[in-house]
Amino acid sequence: MRSAEDMSSGAEPLTDARLTGLAVLGGAPAFDRPRHVGRPNLGDRDRLLARIDGMLDRLWFTNGGPLVQEFEEAVASIAGVRHCVATCNGTLALEILIRAVGLTDEVITTPFTFVATPHSLRWQGITPVFADIDPRTHNIDPAQVERLITPRTTGILGVHVWGRPCAVDDLQAIADRHGLPLLFDASHGLGCSSGGRMIGSFGAAETFSFHATKFVNAFEGGAIVTDDDDLAERARLIRNFGFADYDQVRSLGTNGKMSEVAAAMGLTSLEARDRFIAVNHQNYDAYRRGLDGVPGVELIFYDDEEATTRQYIVVEVDESAGLSRDDLCQVLWAENVLARRYFYPGCHRAEPYVSEQGPDQLRMPMTDRLAAQVLTLPTGTGVSTADIEVITGLVRRAVSAGPALAAALPRRPGTPPAAVPVPPDEQPDGG
Ligand SMILES: Cc1ncc(COP(=O)(O)O)c(C=O)c1O
């Protein structure tokens, strides 16, 4: 791989001209309005409003109304399973599933995820035991999982990060060998496949998120999907305070129901998903062209043999870029390109885990390296091919100026993503 110095010591020597005009050094930003990671996609507005009108006419706003029922059927059919239990968000889907499966004590999961994954365990008094990731896939490493199984382990919770599937067969084999339930947080995984089989149909059950930042959204929303009839029944009870009937409470429960207005948005968004996927694929190709040959900035791959939604544009920035991931992020933010460093610094370094857990749980070299290198870039229907040409041009320019640019950057207390407010509808997640 060529280094940034090679690039800058070619025909043209590095001059200050490479730096002039960059917004981070006082120039005008490349974009007058921010370009976001995870800006909501909007389906057909008239269809959405017609659904909401129908809901208002029916005066049926929640408690398993017709829109939620339709949404559940649609999601179950995409995942290729019998049951979908729609919830008010993806976090509640995880919490309800974990309770419905009966997990306790310790559950093995990944530190390279949005913090909702371990929080959904810890919220219920369960200790998330972090297993380091496979740096090629960014997903939990099955060998690390098996190493961490003890008599206290009650389950395994994988996450299909970016919608790229976990090593599902290896994890299932480990789960079977040890008699443990295997669950997946598939918040990023709707519409993606592994070995031709849709995400949503693996393990004992999986969960989706339909948060506004996901490519299909329900404003806020989530779902549990499974082929297990009893598990689905327990999840439905828990979702609705444990009510089996009008006045029969059969179990402990919570209020995890999806509202009709959320389902209206979810259905409208699902109808438009082929268009959203096509845009994401186009955007990914534009990034691939624009970043081709840029040293130290590697766009992650998506398997062309599988169904993919490519809702995340993820690059890994290594030392051969000549400036760090955080430097590049600072340069882009000044240009109004709101790149995000997901899932920095890794859940093992977030509270309460960093304070509660022992030194072994801080030793996550693969996650630490990746969390220092990953940058996600704007995509979705709010970003055009022309925007991406500008964004990749900025990345090229920053890398070609590499160390000189890094040395010239204004140093502020805190890095740019932490120092500026989170824009509307973005959560500092992966979400
Ligand atoms: C991997 C992951 N897990 C869980 C969640 C939580 O989902 P929600 O925001 O719908 O509660 C998100 C995203 O938001 C996520 O990205």
Side-chain angles (χ1 to χ4, degrees), residues 137-351:
T137 63
H138 301 183
N139 288 326
I140 197 165
D141 178 351
Q144 299 298 327
V145 171
E146 189 143 41
R147 196 179 62 77
L148 289 165
I149 292 174
T150 71
R152 297 186 58 185
T153 309
T154 62
I156 301 168
L157 175 56
V159 181
H160 306 295
V161 175
W162 321 127
R164 299 194 304 176
C166 286
V168 282
D169 293 340
D170 292 350
L171 289 172
Q172 191 63 64
I174 292 168
D176 291 346
R177 252 196 315 278
H178 296 270
L180 295 169
L182 173 64
L183 309 177
F184 290 104
D185 174 346
S187 290
H188 305 178
L190 183 87
C192 300
S193 70
S194 174
R197 184 173 144 190
M198 295 312 281
I199 285 184
S201 63
F202 293 99
E206 308 205 41
T207 62
F208 293 127
S209 163
F210 299 102
H211 182 260
T213 50
K214 302 296 185 285
F215 88 107
V216 165
N217 83 87
F219 302 129
E220 292 263 10
I224 299 162
V225 280
T226 183
D227 265 329
D228 181 328
D229 301 344
D230 295 336
L231 180 56
E233 191 47 37
R234 284 198 299 281
R236 283 196 185 99
L237 277 181
I238 296 169
R239 174 181 66 171
N240 189 25
F241 311 98
F243 274 109
D245 212 334
Y246 237 48
D247 49 11
Q248 275 185 49
V249 176
R250 288 242 186 94
S251 76
L252 181 64
T254 185
N255 183 356
K257 299 186 299 291
M258 175 178 271
S259 69
E260 284 288 275
V261 75
M265 181 60 163
L267 283 166
T268 309
S269 196
L270 278 178
E271 274 171 359
R273 76 183 187 286
D274 287 346
R275 176 165 65 83
F276 300 154
I277 291 171
V279 168
N280 287 344
H281 276 244
Q282 247 171 41
N283 288 352
Y284 179 85
D285 291 344
Y287 274 108
R288 188 158 50 190
R289 283 193 303 276
L291 295 175
D292 187 35
V294 179
V297 178
E298 199 75 50
L299 180 65
I300 66 161
F301 69 93
Y302 288 98
D303 190 340
D304 288 330
E305 304 294 309
E306 300 287 358
T308 60
T309 58
R310 303 186 189 203
Q311 63 177 309
Y312 296 98
I313 298 291
V314 185
V315 294
E316 293 175 36
V317 182
D318 69 31
E319 53 292 339
S320 54
L323 78 175
S324 70
R325 182 275 311 270
D326 286 355
D327 290 343
L328 182 58
C329 194
Q330 186 177 351
V331 170
L332 291 174
W333 272 66
E335 305 288 353
N336 253 333
V337 177
L338 306 190
R340 306 296 297 261
R341 38 182 207 177
Y342 285 5
F343 301 99
Y344 181 81
C347 295
H348 60 307
R349 296 190 181 278
E351 294 293 358

Side-chain angles (χ1 to χ4, degrees), residues 19-34:
L19 306 181
T20 49
L22 282 173
V24 74
L25 300 178
F31 295 101
D32 54 358
R33 282 179 303 104

